[in-house]
Amino acid sequence: MAPRKSKKKAPSFRKLLKTSNIKIENKLKNRQFKQQSIAKKHRKEQKKLKQALSNAATRTPLPLERYKKRPEDEEDEEEFEETLPVDMMEEDDLEQMKAMAQKASFLTRDLSSSEPVHARKRKQENVMDKYEKVPRLMQKEQEKELIHLLPIKDKTGIIPQTMEKPVVKKAEKENEDEGDGDGAEEVNAPKPLPLLTTQELVVLRRKRLEERKVCIAALGSSILSDPSANIKKLKELRSMLVELDPYVAVTVRKLVMVSLMEIFKDIVPSYRIRPLTEAEKSTKVKKETQQLREFEEGLVSQYKFYLENLEQTVKDWKQMKKKKSDVVSLKSYKGLAEVAVKCLCELLVALPHFNFHNNIIVMIVPLMNHDCKKISEMSCEAVRNLFKQDKVGQASLGMVKVISGLVKSRNYEVKPEVLKALLCLRVKEVEVKKDADDIAPKKRFMNFKEKRKHLSRMQRKWKKAEEKLEKELLEAEATESKEKKLKLHTETLNIVFLTYFRILKKAQKSILLPCVLEGLAKFAHLINVEFFDDLLIVLHKLVESGDLSYRESLHCIQTAFHVLSGQGDVLNIDPLKFYTHLYKTLLRLHAGTANDDMIIVLQCLDVMLTKRRKQVSVQRALAFIKRLTTLSLQVLPNSTIGILATNRVLMHTFPKSDILLDNESQGSGIYLPELDEPEYCNPQNTSLWELHILQRHYHPIVRKFAAHLIVGAPSEGSGALNVDLSRKSATDLFEDYSIKGMTFNPPVATPSSKKKEKFTIGDALLDSDLKKQIDSHLEATSIPSDLNFAAHLRKAFI
């Protein structure tokens, strides 16, 4: 019979090529596994050999067997001793030779007179008798601790097993553990020093510190000179972060932290380094490209290890747990943590584009709410700086997300500084330009149908090449697209408003409420119109509750009118209740601590009356002008100037307000100054008699404004103001003439003068040298010195 043909098809060339590649890969894997098993076996053998050597070194030798001597042997020994040249030897040497002769019993004994040493033991032989027959020796040295193991029974009998307890030094053990771990650095601990005096220790510490400084400087300069070639020296410098010399450990670690921070700020590229894919690793590239890849890979790994070291330093300080291998005391943990936080803050601001920036954000944000004031201030300042310099919005978005999560996780019990940092977000500047960008025509490329309809074949070819070139140029530009910025800023504001609304709804009595109201007042014009009604209802309930302070209620009013002045213009809402509340509480301001709230009042008046002039009646404007003029008599000069500047703007905005400069009444009724409703207090039947009192004020700018308003606030003529005063807003004038801007230099104490425990402003004003400084300051500000300005200051501050 003919053989049957096989039904299997012959494998194709591609399949053979594929299987050959798989076989090659399997062979390589088998070879690697074999090498690993050989290396593992070799390590085990070396470990067993070391253990055997240590056991042999610590095992105590058993005494040799002693045998009874015959009389003939004793006579031979005496003859041998007589033949020795005893007169030429010392007694110690002689005794040593005798002892050596006794130990060599195996060589000198008569084998025929003794039983065989290795006689086979019987099973019936008692094991305990053997231990009883062994002679007891006097303990001369301290016995080493033994561990009794389970005995072994074989044909010869029961064999006891013991093992000496290994004694390993802590430092050696830790060094071995660090050597086994991957990525750990070996640091040799300094040898213990003999007892030294304090002066010698100071000199020794100074010497070692200088050596470490020179080493750090040399490594840093070599890295900065050629980062790609000397990237491996970063690991050598980073290994000094675990300095074990107790005399210079703290100082050296701080220096290395700061040095590495400055080095990374200089050598880090201006782009994010992404990990290579498997396809990119397998492809062959040029030598320069390979060097660049190795440099980037080493830089990212060392930067990661450095950030981990900084994070671990902060964690050790928080937990206050002393490490066994650490030579730094617990008291020094705080100083190391402060330097670590400072480095993290610098990297947060300087490298927002580089890898692991989100990890730094996660480390910094919880520190904003830390109990330590210095660390909290450093963290908040770094976050504010990041918000101010972030033009794109990517880093700001990540920071806002983490802050929102922190506030929610802590149940809204965080420091107000955490939310105050959100006021530095750069969102308003970009949103202002949105309308102009939308109106501007956007450039778009022609589609295929339009090209085929309007262009010839050659023109389409040229157009395609031109569009390709333009797209490449757009991709090569470093600036981000405006659409991406707008998208990032929209998402950022959504998270911010979500945090603010949560606090308004669930934590109205929290200390975060003033920060929330201030933030809403700043970003209110960006809130979606859908939330206006609910937000105004919540704000009105807060104002009417009476639980808020005066400053918080002002923030509520400011937020409500910012909402209505932005997108709320289209809504037909009359916030009469907010006007009434501000009018009622204006007279609570005074020349004391409440004087600082005047700038918020001026901002509210500008939004409520000037910007909403079409929705404000004349009666309401007259009532506010009259009450503001009355308020100007009981506040500090800078507040008086701001109030009068606001009245000047209102008189220009509402021309019918000139009836307040006339003594004759206009209409029925009398003025009711104590009525809280500005619409029904009959302000048209009164006059601004306070301006005549302000004309005799000691401050010259107040006198100028009073004289200017009395004549009707003209823009030209003899009663007009200077250009510097007329062009500035009320808030600018308030800040320019603030009394906090004046600084006094106290006199330098001489050896003969009496020392004072405390230096007050009253003492300074009574000093003759300081009085000359005040007089010169008054002359420089065109204020006559005969008005006793120093006495007024003394009354205000003492």
Side-chain angles (χ1 to χ4, degrees):
M1 283 179 70
R4 298 178 66 181
K5 294 183 179 180
S6 177
K7 295 182 179 181
K8 294 183 179 179
K9 295 182 180 180
S12 62
F13 177 74
R14 290 185 179 178
K15 193 169 184 181
L16 288 173
L17 185 61
K18 187 176 181 180
T19 55
S20 63
N21 292 334
I22 294 173
K23 288 180 180 180
I24 291 171
E25 291 178 359
N26 292 337
K27 285 184 179 180
L28 290 176
K29 290 181 181 178
N30 293 335
R31 188 178 299 173
Q32 291 177 358
F33 291 150
K34 190 174 182 181
Q35 291 176 355
Q36 291 176 0
S37 61
I38 292 171
K40 188 175 181 180
K41 187 176 181 182
H42 180 69
R43 287 197 298 270
K44 287 184 178 179
E45 291 176 355
Q46 292 293 329
K47 190 175 181 180
K48 289 181 180 179
L49 183 60
K50 288 181 181 180
Q51 186 69 25
L53 290 174
S54 62
N55 292 340
T58 56
R59 186 176 298 167
T60 55
L62 296 175
L64 295 175
E65 298 180 0
R66 297 178 180 273
Y67 301 93
K68 295 181 180 180
K69 298 179 181 180
R70 295 177 296 178
E72 299 175 358
D73 296 336
E74 293 179 359
E75 293 177 0
D76 295 340
E77 187 175 352
E78 292 177 357
E79 292 178 0
F80 175 72
E81 289 179 358
E82 291 178 357
T83 58
L84 289 174
V86 182
D87 55 346
M88 298 176 63
M89 298 179 63
E90 296 182 358
E91 294 181 359
D92 298 336
D93 297 338
L94 183 61
E95 291 177 359
Q96 186 177 2
M97 289 184 67
K98 289 181 179 180
M100 292 173 62
Q102 290 177 0
K103 289 182 179 179
S105 61
F106 178 78
L107 300 176
T108 56
R109 67 187 174 87
D110 188 3
L111 297 177
S112 61
S113 62
S114 61
E115 296 178 358
V117 179
H118 301 287
R120 181 171 294 180
K121 296 181 181 179
R122 298 177 182 179
K123 292 183 180 180
Q124 292 79 13
E125 184 180 358
N126 193 2
V127 180
M128 299 302 297
D129 295 342
K130 176 186 175 183
Y131 290 100
E132 292 294 336
K133 292 177 182 179
V134 175
R136 271 64 171 174
L137 299 177
M138 296 297 293
Q139 184 177 357
K140 297 181 180 180
E141 297 180 357
Q142 185 179 1
E143 293 184 356
K144 296 183 178 180
E145 188 175 357
L146 297 177
I147 301 175
H148 295 278
L149 305 177
L150 293 175
I152 300 174
K153 185 176 181 180
D154 58 356
K155 294 180 180 180
T156 60
I158 298 174
I159 303 173
Q161 297 290 324
T162 58
M163 185 181 70
E164 183 182 350
K165 188 175 181 180
V167 179
V168 184
K169 294 182 180 179
K170 294 182 180 180
E172 296 177 359
K173 186 176 181 181
E174 289 168 1
N175 289 338
E176 290 177 3
D177 295 340
E178 290 178 0
D180 296 339
D182 49 348
E185 295 82 8
E186 297 181 359
V187 181
N188 296 325
K191 297 180 180 179
L193 296 172
L195 295 176
L196 300 175
T197 62
T198 305
Q199 187 176 4
E200 291 174 346
L201 288 175
V202 171
V203 174
L204 179 64
R205 181 185 181 279
R206 190 177 301 166
K207 181 180 177 182
R208 290 185 178 179
L209 189 59
E210 288 296 328
E211 293 176 358
R212 301 297 195 282
K213 286 182 179 180
V214 171
C215 182
I216 293 171
L219 290 173
S221 60
S222 61
I223 294 169
L224 292 175
S225 61
D226 192 358
S228 58
N230 300 322
I231 191 65
K232 293 183 178 179
K233 292 188 177 180
L234 270 176
K235 183 178 180 181
E236 186 178 352
L237 182 59
R238 191 174 54 82
S239 65
M240 300 180 72
L241 284 172
V242 287
E243 177 67 40
L244 295 180
D245 192 346
Y247 297 101
V248 295
V250 179
T251 307
V252 170
R253 292 184 185 186
K254 290 181 181 179
L255 292 174
V256 175
M257 285 180 191
V258 179
S259 302
L260 283 171
M261 181 260 295
E262 295 294 338
I263 289 172
F264 281 120
K265 286 168 63 176
D266 289 339
I267 68 175
V268 161
S270 60
Y271 54 87
R272 183 183 294 270
I273 299 174
R274 64 173 180 83
L276 298 176
T277 60
E278 294 296 333
E280 290 175 343
K281 290 180 181 179
S282 60
T283 55
K284 292 184 179 181
V285 293
K286 295 181 180 179
K287 185 177 180 181
E288 294 81 3
T289 308
Q290 186 64 27
Q291 290 178 354
L292 179 61
R293 287 182 176 180
E294 292 176 357
F295 165 71
E296 291 177 348
E297 186 178 358
L299 179 64
V300 170
S301 63
Q302 294 302 320
Y303 187 61
K304 177 184 176 183
F305 290 139
Y306 172 62
L307 294 179
E308 289 176 352
N309 286 330
L310 296 181
E311 184 182 10
Q312 190 61 41
T313 303
V314 179
K315 284 183 179 179
D316 293 343
W317 170 63
K318 285 182 178 180
Q319 299 173 359
M320 293 302 286
K321 290 183 180 180
K322 177 72 175 177
K323 292 185 177 180
K324 296 181 180 180
S325 62
D326 204 349
V327 296
V328 179
S329 62
L330 289 173
K331 295 181 180 179
S332 303
Y333 277 13
K334 183 178 180 181
L336 288 172
E338 289 178 355
V339 177
V341 173
K342 181 67 176 176
C343 295
L344 288 171
C345 294
E346 290 287 336
L347 294 174
L348 177 74
V349 179
L351 305 176
H353 60 279
F354 197 59
N355 301 53
F356 310 112
H357 190 259
N358 291 333
N359 302 78
I360 301 177
I361 291 174
V362 174
M363 285 189 282
I364 289 295
V365 170
L367 297 177
M368 297 171 67
N369 193 41
H370 201 271
D371 296 335
C372 183
K373 185 177 179 181
K374 187 174 181 181
I375 289 181
S376 177
E377 288 178 353
M378 283 194 298
S379 305
C380 294
E381 184 65 24
V383 173
R384 287 194 293 269
N385 292 335
L386 178 67
F387 286 151
K388 290 177 182 177
Q389 74 172 21
D390 187 18
K391 298 180 180 179
V392 180
Q394 186 72 39
S396 300
L397 177 60
M399 182 68 72
V400 168
K401 286 182 179 179
V402 180
I403 290 176
S404 177
L406 175 70
V407 174
K408 186 179 179 182
S409 62
R410 297 290 177 87
N411 198 16
Y412 313 106
E413 295 180 358
V414 296
K415 291 185 176 180
E417 288 77 10
V418 178
L419 288 183
K420 284 184 179 178
L422 298 176
L423 298 175
C424 299
L425 282 169
R426 293 188 62 177
V427 178
K428 189 175 181 180
E429 293 81 4
V430 178
E431 289 291 332
V432 170
K433 301 177 183 179
K434 188 182 73 170
D435 297 335
D437 296 336
D438 292 340
I439 295 171
K442 295 181 180 179
K443 186 176 182 180
R444 69 180 188 89
F445 298 106
M446 298 175 65
N447 55 22
F448 179 74
K449 291 184 179 179
E450 292 177 350
K451 290 179 183 177
R452 192 168 183 178
K453 183 177 181 180
H454 300 287
L455 302 177
S456 63
R457 183 176 181 183
M458 185 60 67
Q459 289 175 341
R460 290 200 300 269
K461 188 175 181 180
W462 280 101
K463 192 70 175 177
K464 183 178 180 181
E466 184 181 354
E467 290 178 357
K468 183 179 179 181
L469 179 60
E470 289 181 358
K471 288 181 180 179
E472 290 178 355
L473 291 175
L474 288 174
E475 292 177 358
E477 287 182 357
T479 57
E480 296 288 338
S481 63
K482 295 178 181 178
E483 294 180 359
K484 184 178 180 181
K485 288 182 185 179
L486 185 61
K487 184 178 179 181
L488 291 172
H489 290 161
T490 305
E491 189 175 355
T492 303
L493 278 177
N494 288 338
I495 298 172
V496 171
F497 288 141
L498 179 63
T499 305
Y500 285 165
F501 294 157
R502 280 175 178 170
I503 296 174
L504 281 176
K505 184 178 180 182
K506 298 181 180 180
Q508 293 185 358
K509 297 184 179 180
S510 173
I511 58 175
L512 302 177
L513 190 59
C515 305
V516 171
L517 296 174
E518 190 174 355
L520 287 173
K522 181 175 181 180
F523 303 115
H525 61 286
L526 304 173
I527 301 176
N528 195 346
V529 183
E530 299 175 358
F531 303 109
F532 281 1
D533 293 336
D534 297 334
L535 182 59
L536 290 175
I537 292 171
V538 172
L539 293 176
H540 182 259
K541 287 181 180 179
L542 288 174
V543 171
E544 293 295 330
S545 63
D547 298 332
L548 304 180
S549 64
Y550 186 69
R551 191 179 186 89
E552 293 172 2
S553 62
L554 290 177
H555 279 305
C556 282
I557 297 170
Q558 187 180 11
T559 304
F561 282 98
H562 271 296
V563 167
L564 295 176
S565 65
Q567 301 176 15
D569 282 339
V570 297
L571 302 177
N572 189 14
I573 298 175
D574 186 15
L576 180 61
K577 298 177 182 179
F578 294 103
Y579 282 102
T580 304
H581 182 75
L582 181 62
Y583 182 79
K584 180 174 61 175
T585 58
L586 271 178
L587 295 179
R588 292 174 59 182
L589 293 172
H590 51 79
T593 55
N595 187 73
D596 295 334
D597 299 335
M598 181 57 70
I599 189 168
I600 307 176
V601 173
L602 297 176
Q603 292 173 357
C604 290
L605 292 171
D606 181 50
V607 179
M608 296 166 63
L609 300 175
T610 308
K611 293 183 178 179
R612 290 176 56 87
R613 60 176 68 92
K614 295 181 180 180
Q615 290 86 3
V616 177
S617 63
V618 179
Q619 294 289 332
R620 193 181 300 175
L622 294 177
F624 271 98
I625 292 173
K626 175 60 180 177
R627 180 149 289 195
L628 287 173
T629 311
T630 305
L631 177 63
S632 64
L633 298 176
Q634 63 185 34
V635 292
L636 291 182
N638 59 334
S639 299
T640 304
I641 295 172
I643 290 172
L644 296 179
T646 303
N647 282 346
R648 176 178 177 269
V649 175
L650 292 177
M651 294 176 97
H652 289 168
T653 306
F654 302 95
K656 294 182 179 181
S657 60
D658 57 354
I659 61 175
L660 294 176
L661 302 177
D662 193 357
N663 292 333
E664 296 180 1
S665 61
Q666 301 288 332
S668 61
I670 59 173
Y671 175 59
L672 303 175
E674 297 179 358
L675 188 64
D676 295 334
E677 295 293 337
E679 298 282 350
Y680 308 108
C681 65
N682 300 322
Q684 72 279 1
N685 294 327
T686 184
S687 61
L688 302 179
W689 52 266
E690 295 89 355
L691 296 177
H692 294 277
I693 299 176
L694 293 176
Q695 274 189 312
R696 296 190 293 272
H697 199 275
Y698 64 87
H699 202 287
I701 306 299
V702 175
R703 295 200 303 269
K704 285 184 180 180
F705 266 101
H708 173 67
L709 294 177
I710 284 177
V711 296
S715 301
E716 297 178 353
S718 59
L721 289 176
N722 299 332
V723 179
D724 298 335
L725 296 177
S726 60
R727 289 185 177 180
K728 288 186 178 180
S729 63
T731 54
D732 294 339
L733 291 170
F734 173 82
E735 293 176 353
D736 291 344
Y737 292 96
S738 176
I739 205 166
K740 293 180 181 179
M742 298 178 61
T743 57
F744 299 101
N745 299 321
V748 181
T750 57
S752 60
S753 62
K754 295 181 180 180
K755 295 182 179 179
K756 296 182 180 180
E757 296 180 357
K758 296 182 179 179
F759 183 81
T760 62
I761 298 180
D763 298 331
L765 294 174
L766 295 175
D767 191 87
S768 59
D769 296 333
L770 187 58
K771 189 176 181 181
K772 295 178 181 178
Q773 295 181 10
I774 294 173
D775 293 337
S776 61
H777 181 78
L778 296 177
E779 292 176 2
T781 54
S782 70
I783 301 176
S785 59
D786 57 347
L787 293 175
N788 200 5
F789 185 62
H792 176 77
L793 282 177
R794 198 181 309 126
K795 291 179 182 178
F797 287 97
I798 301 175

